[in-house]
Amino acid sequence: MGSVVGGSEASPFGYREPGSVTIDEANQAPVKQSKDTHSAEPRSDSLDNMELASVDTDKNLVTRGQTGNDMDRQLGTKFRAADDPHTAVGRGATPAKKAKLTFTSGLAEALDQPNADPCAAIRQTLRGYTDVTLRKVTGFYRQRLEEAIEECVEAVSLKIRHETKSYEHFYREIQRLVKDGSHRQASERLLDSVMESGAQAGRVMWETFIEMKFANRKLSNILQEIESKGANLRMEVSQSLMEPKVSGYLKDIQTQYKRFLLQANEDFWVNIAGGERDKSCLEECYTEQVIVVSGPEQGVSGHTLTVRGKRREEGQRKMIKSQWETVRVGQLFRSSFGKSNLPGTVVVSGPAGSGKTTMAQKIVRDWAEGKIYHQFHFVFLLKFRDLNSVAGRTSIKKLILDSYPHFGDSMEHLWEQPQGLLFILDSLEEFKEKIDFTEPKGNTLPERQCFHPECLCEVSDIVRCLIRQDVLRGCSVLLTTRPTELQTLRNAGVNLWAEIVGFLKAQRKEFLGKYFGDQRLAEAAFTYLEQNDILYSMCDNPSYCRIICYSLAPGLRRMQETQETLPTSVTQLFASYMSNIFKNHQFNIYKHHAVSAEQIRDLVLRTGQLAYLGICQNIHAFNESHLNCCNVERSYALPGFLIQHMDPSTSRSLFSFVHVTLQEFLAALSKYLTADAPSLTRFLTQLLDSPQGDDRFKTFLRFMVGLSSPGCAQVIKDLLGPLPHEVTCSVRDWVKTQAEASSSKRRLLESMHYLFESQHAGLMQHAVGLRGTLTLGDDFPYNALRLTPVDCTVLGTVCRPCHEVQGLNLSYCGLGTEGIQRLASALHKCKALRLRGNNLTDNGVKLLSETLKREDCQIQILDLSSNDLSHTDAQELAKGLSSNSSLTQLNLSQNKLGDTGVTNVCEALSSPQCKIQSLLLCENLIRGKVVEKLMLTLSTNWSLTSLNLNKNKLGDQGIRLMIAALGQRSCTLQTLELEGNGITNAYTEDLAVAPTTNVALTKVNLSDNLLTDQSALALSTLTRRHPSLRTIG
């Protein structure tokens, strides 16, 4: 090893004596965080475009099944780690076939480098720590370290074993956990073992981290922080272990206050469906969102349906593994997250419906129960929507007493220990005043400065002074807001920026389990959503997830008793949601006869008119005049449809739809019910062709088509009566026209979405049949349309009812394995299938192989070029080729098949079922030793007429292949391409006397080789002896 971080190896690194219990210094739950000081993190666009193959643990540093000796022999090898999902990292690296964190041959060559200047400072810093201090630093950063080494934990444990010459049993345990896929558990076990061991293991571990820093973004961040904080870190670590005692004056009040908070925060209210909103038990229903450390820029959360879904979720998961660090609500304060663990302001941002207010309520309740933040004596939750109603000047003391009056005369004792106070300021975007943090502290006018918690000031000044520590210096502030307000906080001196990403797979499952309260129903709901990518894509937002659960619950509960089916499209989902609102809540027409069916229809029409007005004028927050213009009654429209909130600028009521997609659905439903059928197609076309058509009206138009589906018609008929048949016919005619006449790839894709929403098999067959070839890809990547998994689901569903599809061009559409999975049920119907440049993985190739095995497979042309296919992929593909009799053209160019892969393909060509006539193997790293196999194939295959081996490495063996093709009477080869293979003059004279029994061969391409004029005579002689050979390039 180059240089172990200095320190006395004899001194104990841990405090634990044999038989004693280790004390966990990190009181909060394990979490993750992301903080990159080098560059801005990729945001939502980069997530949507990143490749999303899962981390391949089988190809990490330690190959499964390796012995310890095998591992030792790997010392001295380099390691590399993919630093982001797009490219592999390392000298001379090419874009990785899979976006993954992986270790290849050469670990210890990187680990055993001599001291390098870039690491000298951090090594010096760590050497300056005593063993006791280093242990405390390890505990301080422990949660972040556990996450940072998840993907390389086996390499770290191997290094410790190698350097300490011990810990064999410990290494074997880590190896077993990694093999079982328990990477996080393995990293926790490693940290446990190191902190319980002597100083040497701890020093070796930190030295290993230093040497891995260039390949591990998270380790690099931690080490940079340690280096930059220097001596201040010791103070932070010490303070993180301190818990100030509450004074005797306040002890009884604190107990009473916690009891009050537990009662006040027992339940929470949700703004969907139901007369007076739904009340749920906070403890039973709360699901913690994924929160990542970010910055004062717009966040990663997207808002359109097409940028969500599993591709987005997988992209976020990959970024969390490689770059982002996640933080749980119990770790926002006094932890290694943030610029400092000293008191300060934490900002948590998230889009509407992401659960910021519920999170704030949960923090208050958990503190009152003693679960988190023991360092705080009191936690005060102040909501900006309530602060808007404060008239005139006020004080911090008055704000607290207005909400919590039982403090009485003891308030002055609160100010004695400000470090024990946490203020939670919820939903900054709702505040009517703008707070200016750009003004230097010294320039603030005295009347705008809050010097003491009891002095009178404007609310905005109080907020500013709390956040900037101008008053109650030492207190902590948690501020929640939407991403739109982040720019105003850039100069606020924020200690930690965090952002709510939302729900990933685990959180979705947890939410469903709590919502349904029945594991069987929860599993059925998750399976259903997982199979319907469009609906699954909505569930990253807690609010939207609740809407979906609410819509699915009645059908799920009745499925075993009746033949009722669940919604299969977005339109059907919202139709079901609306129906359930009226049937099961305040508008229950079966129980409350005061609201008739005609009144319900009238309410839907008027609310839909308001929704359409908002779409046309880009309005999402409506005032009273908007409601009056459309004759919308607040008392009827609010439950389930609208949310009332405060206008920050006027303190007047504003109204927004529960979700913008619900607004678009109601707008479409209103238009559908009142449309003039003869002029409807012209109206729809005008919206589509309008300057805002591709954006503002996209979802509206999809809903218009979706309402024509039989499933939607039945749901709405039960509530509003039958939909107008003439309108349905007009909509379907319009969809046919769009599918036939779409002039651009984007319009063609949109017409596929229309067909999907229609859920009409006959319409799909007719439209795709008339279109013939569906071209969304291109041989030039920049001209191809990148498809999301949602798009692939749509395309697969539309093609499935068709008897055949003439052509499907998806070259460079970024499908990946998931895209192939979504399309798999329809691929066998495509006569020409072009999948060039789609980064197909092993699983993707396996799916294609299974498609080729189908007896009803109609694929005649298959293009898999530029997919980075390896010899293992060729082996899997050959299984399908050997049993397929429909395929006549196969393009495998620009891959990495090599000799082994080509051998597998040749074996498939020798199968009697294989009818391939044209085979392209350009640029596949093929060498001369595979020529024997190719010669054998030419002698047994009676269908192959064209073989392209351009730009490989056959060398002079290419002449042998040419002679074999000329001399075999049974050979059917007509064209042989050998351009750029390094062929020399060595064997060209043999061509002059070669047999010429194969009369089928008419063209041989030998251009761009190493032939000189010396070979001209032999080639000329060959053309005279072989009259059918018309071209030798």
Side-chain angles (χ1 to χ4, degrees):
M1 182 172 183
S3 173
V4 176
V5 175
S8 172
E9 295 184 0
S11 301
F13 185 70
Y15 298 127
R16 183 177 180 182
E17 296 294 332
S20 66
V21 178
T22 300
I23 297 175
D24 183 4
E25 295 178 345
N27 292 318
Q28 319 304 337
V31 295
K32 311 175 180 178
Q33 172 200 348
S34 154
K35 188 167 37 179
D36 181 5
T37 59
H38 298 295
S39 60
E41 299 290 1
R43 313 315 293 173
S44 59
D45 289 343
S46 65
L47 285 174
D48 298 327
N49 292 328
M50 73 197 310
E51 298 304 332
L52 300 167
S54 59
V55 174
D56 190 348
T57 55
D58 289 351
K59 297 181 181 179
N60 279 346
L61 166 69
V62 183
T63 304
R64 295 184 181 180
Q66 280 185 311
T67 65
N69 292 334
D70 294 332
M71 293 302 302
D72 288 336
R73 284 193 292 272
Q74 285 192 0
L75 288 171
T77 61
K78 292 181 179 180
F79 73 85
R80 66 173 170 84
D83 203 34
D84 61 55
H86 298 285
T87 57
V89 177
R91 180 177 300 175
T94 56
K97 178 179 177 180
K98 299 181 181 180
K100 59 193 174 189
L101 182 67
T102 180
F103 291 88
T104 57
S105 62
L107 170 65
E109 181 178 335
L111 295 182
D112 288 344
Q113 296 178 43
N115 281 335
D117 288 338
C119 300
I122 183 60
R123 282 196 173 98
Q124 186 65 32
T125 299
L126 293 176
R127 287 194 187 103
Y129 293 152
T130 65
D131 293 332
V132 172
T133 300
L134 188 59
R135 182 187 186 278
K136 291 181 178 180
V137 170
T138 304
F140 183 65
Y141 282 101
R142 170 161 182 161
Q143 306 302 332
R144 293 174 64 186
L145 289 171
E146 286 179 0
E147 177 183 304
I149 65 173
E150 275 190 48
E151 300 304 315
C152 58
V153 60
E154 193 168 359
V156 176
S157 63
L158 173 64
K159 190 66 176 179
I160 295 173
R161 187 195 75 165
H162 181 74
E163 292 298 329
T164 59
K165 310 300 182 185
S166 59
Y167 300 100
E168 180 67 28
H169 68 287
F170 150 73
Y171 167 69
R172 293 299 177 192
E173 183 180 357
I174 299 297
Q175 191 180 43
R176 176 183 58 79
L177 289 171
V178 171
K179 185 177 181 179
D180 293 341
S182 305
H183 289 261
R184 186 55 182 265
Q185 187 178 349
S187 63
E188 292 173 0
R189 182 70 187 94
L190 185 146
L191 268 296
D192 282 340
S193 299
V194 169
M195 294 189 73
E196 294 170 5
S197 303
Q200 185 186 14
R203 299 279 174 183
V204 169
M205 180 183 71
W206 278 101
E207 177 65 21
T208 305
F209 292 164
I210 291 173
E211 291 161 338
M212 287 181 167
K213 66 176 290 189
F214 297 110
N216 188 311
R217 177 75 64 85
K218 295 181 181 181
L219 282 178
S220 178
N221 290 342
I222 293 170
L223 292 169
Q224 286 177 1
E225 288 175 23
I226 293 174
E227 181 183 335
S228 63
K229 289 182 178 180
N232 291 333
L233 179 59
R234 303 184 192 189
M235 179 179 65
E236 288 190 28
V237 171
S238 298
Q239 290 192 352
S240 70
L241 303 175
M242 296 171 57
E243 291 185 12
K245 302 296 182 181
V246 64
S247 66
Y249 302 105
L250 297 172
K251 188 63 180 176
D252 292 341
I253 292 179
Q254 185 193 58
T255 302
Q256 180 185 359
Y257 180 59
K258 286 187 175 182
R259 192 181 303 119
F260 167 78
L261 290 180
L262 286 174
Q263 183 177 0
N265 293 280
E266 182 177 359
D267 300 316
F268 76 103
W269 300 89
V270 291
N271 287 319
I272 70 156
E276 298 181 356
R277 300 185 299 166
D278 284 343
K279 183 175 75 171
S280 302
C281 176
L282 180 63
E283 202 64 32
E284 294 177 1
C285 296
Y286 180 75
T287 299
E288 187 172 343
Q289 312 94 315
V290 175
I291 305 175
V292 301
V293 173
S294 56
E297 64 272 351
Q298 288 291 325
V300 301
S301 303
H303 298 284
T304 58
L305 295 177
T306 56
V307 299
R308 295 185 178 181
K310 290 191 174 180
R311 175 169 299 214
R312 175 178 174 78
E313 179 186 345
E314 287 299 302
Q316 290 171 336
R317 182 184 64 81
K318 282 180 174 296
M319 294 299 291
I320 287 170
K321 279 185 175 292
S322 63
Q323 297 183 37
W324 293 346
E325 291 177 275
T326 63
V327 55
R328 295 178 68 176
V329 294
Q331 296 175 317
L332 296 170
F333 295 93
R334 193 169 295 187
S335 66
S336 62
F337 299 95
K339 300 174 185 176
S340 167
N341 82 315
L342 302 179
T345 297
V346 173
V347 174
V348 177
S349 64
S354 60
K356 300 182 294 297
T357 298
T358 307
M359 177 197 71
Q361 189 177 348
K362 185 66 164 61
I363 290 175
V364 171
R365 182 173 178 83
D366 284 352
W367 172 80
E369 288 187 322
K371 294 180 179 179
I372 59 174
Y373 299 142
H374 307 289
Q375 70 269 28
F376 296 127
H377 300 161
F378 293 93
V379 176
F380 301 109
L381 173 59
L382 302 174
K383 299 181 179 181
F384 280 103
R385 67 180 64 175
D386 298 329
L387 295 179
N388 284 329
S389 61
V390 176
R393 299 167 72 85
T394 186
S395 66
I396 296 176
K397 176 181 178 179
K398 190 174 186 307
L399 289 175
I400 293 176
L401 287 175
D402 285 345
S403 299
Y404 313 106
H406 49 270
F407 277 92
D409 297 332
S410 301
M411 288 294 296
E412 63 270 13
H413 296 295
L414 284 177
W415 324 136
E416 295 173 359
Q417 289 183 299
Q419 67 273 18
L421 302 179
L422 169 61
F423 292 89
I424 301 178
L425 307 177
D426 180 45
S427 298
L428 174 63
E429 72 279 356
E430 296 182 2
F431 193 37
K432 64 182 180 181
E433 302 290 341
K434 292 297 181 182
I435 305 174
D436 184 10
F437 293 99
T438 61
E439 186 177 15
K441 291 187 179 182
N443 294 350
T444 305
L445 297 174
E447 61 269 21
R448 296 188 53 219
Q449 187 64 270
C450 182
F451 297 102
H452 189 271
E454 297 186 15
C455 71
L456 297 178
C457 299
E458 297 292 336
V459 174
S460 59
D461 294 328
I462 292 175
V463 172
R464 187 190 69 253
C465 291
L466 274 175
I467 291 174
R468 288 176 36 161
Q469 297 278 301
D470 294 335
V471 64
L472 292 176
R473 186 172 183 81
C475 74
S476 297
V477 177
L478 172 60
L479 183 70
T480 70
T481 181
R482 294 184 187 177
T484 53
E485 303 297 320
L486 292 178
Q487 292 295 330
T488 66
L489 296 166
R490 277 187 173 273
N491 299 311
V494 174
N495 183 48
L496 174 63
W497 303 89
E499 180 186 355
I500 297 175
V501 172
F503 288 166
L504 299 182
K505 183 175 182 179
Q507 289 74 32
R508 284 176 167 95
K509 282 189 170 182
E510 180 183 348
F511 184 93
L512 293 173
K514 291 180 176 180
Y515 183 91
F516 287 102
D518 182 318
Q519 192 61 32
R520 179 181 56 82
L521 282 177
E523 290 177 358
F526 184 81
T527 300
Y528 169 77
L529 291 173
E530 201 172 30
Q531 292 173 348
N532 193 318
D533 200 65
I534 294 177
L535 303 185
Y536 183 88
S537 68
M538 302 179 194
C539 292
D540 59 352
N541 182 294
S543 228
Y544 219 165
C545 196
R546 185 172 293 275
I547 288 177
I548 291 175
C549 288
Y550 177 73
S551 300
L552 295 179
L556 283 169
R557 292 191 172 102
R558 293 194 298 265
M559 275 184 67
Q560 293 186 343
E561 302 174 7
T562 67
Q563 297 300 313
E564 182 172 340
T565 59
L566 293 174
T568 55
S569 69
V570 182
T571 314
Q572 290 183 19
L573 174 78
F574 278 92
S576 176
Y577 170 74
M578 185 188 67
S579 175
N580 287 324
I581 287 176
F582 287 109
K583 288 181 179 179
N584 303 322
H585 289 277
Q586 176 173 321
F587 298 118
N588 192 324
I589 60 177
Y590 305 110
K591 295 180 181 178
H592 303 288
H593 298 287
V595 181
S596 66
E598 290 75 16
Q599 288 175 308
I600 292 176
R601 182 184 179 94
D602 183 67
L603 172 63
V604 169
L605 291 176
R606 295 181 187 280
T607 309
Q609 183 182 355
L610 177 70
Y612 184 72
L613 172 69
I615 295 173
C616 292
Q617 299 183 13
N618 200 24
I619 300 173
H620 299 292
F622 303 90
N623 56 34
E624 292 280 2
S625 64
H626 291 131
L627 269 64
N628 294 335
C629 177
C630 299
N631 295 319
V632 174
E633 290 286 342
R634 292 171 49 180
S635 58
Y636 286 141
L638 277 176
F641 289 160
L642 297 176
I643 302 171
Q644 184 175 3
H645 53 93
M646 192 70 66
D647 183 351
S649 60
T650 65
S651 298
R652 294 180 179 177
S653 292
L654 289 179
F655 306 89
S656 299
F657 284 88
V658 171
H659 194 279
V660 64
T661 316
L662 177 62
Q663 176 182 344
E664 291 164 322
F665 170 77
L666 289 170
L669 179 57
S670 175
K671 282 295 180 184
Y672 202 98
L673 291 169
T674 59
D676 175 51
S679 61
L680 181 59
T681 56
R682 184 171 66 255
F683 167 73
L684 296 177
T685 302
Q686 287 174 347
L687 292 184
L688 183 63
D689 292 338
S690 68
Q692 302 86 10
D694 287 340
D695 183 22
R696 190 179 301 176
F697 295 105
K698 180 167 67 175
T699 307
F700 170 84
L701 289 171
R702 291 182 185 180
F703 278 139
M704 285 292 290
V705 176
L707 288 168
S708 70
S709 70
C712 269
Q714 185 59 48
V715 172
I716 294 173
K717 177 183 178 182
D718 294 341
L719 185 67
L720 304 177
L723 293 174
H725 178 69
E726 297 80 5
V727 172
T728 298
C729 293
S730 295
V731 168
R732 290 176 180 173
D733 288 341
W734 182 76
V735 173
K736 290 179 186 177
T737 303
Q738 292 303 311
E740 297 169 19
S742 299
S743 57
S744 68
K745 295 182 177 70
R746 193 164 299 279
R747 283 288 179 89
L748 174 61
L749 177 61
E750 195 59 29
S751 69
M752 295 297 105
H753 278 272
Y754 298 151
L755 290 168
F756 172 81
E757 287 295 330
S758 76
Q759 294 291 301
H760 193 288
L763 184 61
M764 296 176 188
Q765 290 177 354
H766 179 80
V768 174
L770 289 177
R771 183 79 191 190
T773 298
L774 305 177
T775 302
L776 300 172
D778 197 278
D779 288 342
F780 296 95
Y782 293 110
N783 294 332
L785 198 62
R786 188 173 181 84
L787 303 184
T788 67
V790 172
D791 297 328
C792 294
T793 299
V794 166
L795 200 55
T797 303
V798 170
C799 292
R800 196 177 303 138
C802 304
H803 300 300
E804 66 179 28
V805 178
Q806 288 299 318
L808 182 60
N809 185 344
L810 302 178
S811 294
Y812 290 109
C813 285
L815 303 181
T817 299
E818 186 177 4
I820 294 296
Q821 289 174 335
R822 300 289 171 186
L823 290 162
S825 61
L827 292 180
H828 66 286
K829 299 186 177 185
C830 304
K831 289 189 174 182
L833 181 58
R834 305 188 188 279
L835 300 175
R836 181 177 184 177
N838 275 293
N839 195 38
L840 301 182
T841 62
D842 297 343
N843 290 332
V845 174
K846 186 175 181 179
L847 286 169
L848 285 173
S849 181
E850 293 299 320
T851 299
L852 291 171
K853 291 177 185 178
R854 295 182 57 141
E855 291 184 1
D856 57 349
C857 179
Q858 302 181 53
I859 301 176
Q860 298 176 9
I861 300 173
L862 179 60
D863 184 354
L864 297 178
S865 59
S866 301
N867 271 293
D868 204 21
L869 303 182
S870 66
H871 65 90
T872 56
D873 297 320
Q875 184 179 14
E876 186 63 48
L877 185 63
K879 297 176 183 178
L881 296 175
S882 60
S883 59
N884 179 279
S885 57
S886 66
L887 193 63
T888 59
Q889 297 181 36
L890 177 61
N891 187 352
L892 294 173
S893 298
Q894 296 173 317
N895 286 297
K896 298 177 181 179
L897 303 185
D899 295 346
T900 304
V902 173
T903 299
N904 291 324
V905 174
C906 287
E907 291 174 355
L909 288 172
S910 300
S911 169
Q913 283 78 28
C914 183
K915 305 299 181 184
I916 293 177
Q917 300 174 14
S918 175
L919 178 62
L920 285 78
L921 294 170
C922 311
E923 300 181 59
N924 262 292
L925 308 178
I926 306 171
R927 294 175 295 180
K929 63 181 183 181
V930 81
V931 166
E932 293 288 344
K933 191 65 179 178
L934 287 168
M935 291 168 59
L936 179 61
T937 300
L938 292 177
S939 66
T940 57
N941 182 285
W942 288 7
S943 62
L944 192 66
T945 60
S946 177
L947 177 60
N948 192 326
L949 295 167
N950 289 344
K951 298 182 181 179
N952 282 292
K953 301 179 180 180
L954 297 180
D956 292 327
Q957 294 298 314
I959 296 297
R960 293 188 57 210
L961 181 63
M962 183 176 171
I963 292 173
L966 289 166
Q968 295 177 8
R969 186 179 300 276
S970 61
C971 180
T972 58
L973 199 65
Q974 299 176 12
T975 302
L976 178 61
E977 300 278 349
L978 295 172
E979 175 187 335
N981 270 280
I983 299 173
T984 69
N985 298 323
Y987 297 104
T988 51
E989 292 183 359
D990 295 344
L991 291 172
V993 294
T996 58
T997 54
N998 177 8
V999 296
L1001 191 64
T1002 60
K1003 177 183 177 182
V1004 177
N1005 183 5
L1006 294 174
S1007 62
D1008 199 20
N1009 280 292
L1010 303 178
L1011 300 174
T1012 66
D1013 293 343
Q1014 180 180 340
S1015 302
L1017 180 60
L1019 294 174
S1020 177
T1021 302
L1022 175 62
T1023 55
R1024 290 196 303 271
R1025 297 178 54 246
H1026 196 297
S1028 62
L1029 186 61
R1030 296 187 293 269
T1031 305
I1032 298 183

